[in-house]
Amino acid sequence: MTDGVVKIHGKEYKTVALRVAEFRAKHPDFTILTELVEANDVLVIMKATISAAGQVIATGHAEEVRAASKINAQAAMEVAESSAVGRALAFFGLGGTEIASADEVANAISQQNDGEFLEFMATVRANFDWVMYAKEAIANEDWQSLAAIWGDIDHETMATLFRAPTKGGIFTTEERAACKGNDAFNQARKDLANGV
């Protein structure tokens, strides 16, 4: 994966995280609203709507079956919401040549193959909001905000999310370097721990 573009079976797919980042950069006044359509013991259906000035511009739906995978058993709603947002953004025009996001394709493949990369993609989907908030904080060099959310996920999840970009990681080399050995970030974490 290079900066949110994943090649799967010879085709390039954008991650939902990349689509959202592009959307926010290009259309800061537009909104994405998600809605739970149905949730029961078997499945979850989510709808995402993109609008501007009260006018609907694009929608996307996603359905996740809870028993389809290990991640769906724990986070079917989060997975469905990310997929619905990705599809709405694709219909809006931020999908490249493919409507499906890299996340959706990986999820479909994971039902046939439980590889390490597919588990990584599932972790990204389950922690999508955290990833987007962290990426924004890093871009803005807002080390206090990054420090405030740093402890919200466990060490194993953190290690998975900060996987090297050469191995398909969601964070760029520059973003990883911005966190590692950063004195301002380390100080913000110490201040938070000490209640400063």
Side-chain angles (χ1 to χ4, degrees):
M1 179 168 65
T2 304
D3 294 332
V5 178
V6 180
K7 186 171 273 192
I8 303 174
H9 297 312
K11 291 186 177 181
E12 290 188 345
Y13 297 87
K14 290 183 180 181
T15 63
V16 176
L18 176 60
R19 291 178 185 187
V20 170
E22 290 176 344
F23 173 79
R24 288 181 176 162
K26 292 177 183 177
H27 306 283
D29 296 334
F30 289 22
T31 60
I32 301 174
L33 181 67
T34 59
E35 173 188 348
L36 179 62
V37 176
E38 183 176 347
N40 56 47
D41 293 341
V42 177
L43 58 80
V44 175
I45 300 172
M46 295 290 295
K47 176 183 179 181
T49 302
I50 297 173
S51 60
Q55 181 177 359
V56 173
I57 297 174
T59 61
H61 288 80
E63 175 183 293
E64 292 293 335
V65 176
R66 294 185 187 274
S69 67
K70 287 184 264 184
I71 192 69
N72 275 17
Q74 299 174 357
M77 187 174 301
E78 292 87 340
V79 173
E81 183 175 41
S82 294
S83 294
V85 168
R87 294 183 67 76
L89 289 168
F91 289 124
F92 179 68
L94 293 178
T97 60
E98 302 297 332
I99 294 296
S101 68
D103 312 73
E104 288 179 281
V105 174
N107 189 39
I109 294 171
S110 72
Q111 294 176 27
Q112 303 167 6
N113 177 359
D114 285 331
E116 181 184 342
F117 180 71
L118 301 174
E119 288 296 322
F120 163 74
M121 291 300 289
T123 302
V124 171
R125 283 194 308 272
N127 295 280
F128 178 74
D129 291 338
W130 189 96
V131 169
M132 290 308 298
Y133 190 89
K135 287 173 92 53
E136 185 175 343
I138 294 167
N140 294 326
E141 297 184 7
D142 184 355
W143 307 120
Q144 288 79 20
S145 293
L146 186 61
I149 66 162
W150 200 253
D152 290 352
I153 57 176
D154 60 63
H155 181 72
E156 184 179 336
T157 302
M158 179 78 68
T160 300
L161 292 175
F162 276 88
R163 171 187 186 123
T166 55
K167 295 182 179 178
I170 191 78
F171 288 95
T172 66
T173 301
E174 293 78 15
E175 288 169 334
R176 286 163 40 97
C179 296
K180 188 174 182 180
N182 180 316
D183 292 337
F185 176 47
N186 290 333
Q187 187 60 50
R189 290 176 66 195
K190 286 178 187 173
D191 289 347
L192 187 66
N194 293 326
V196 176

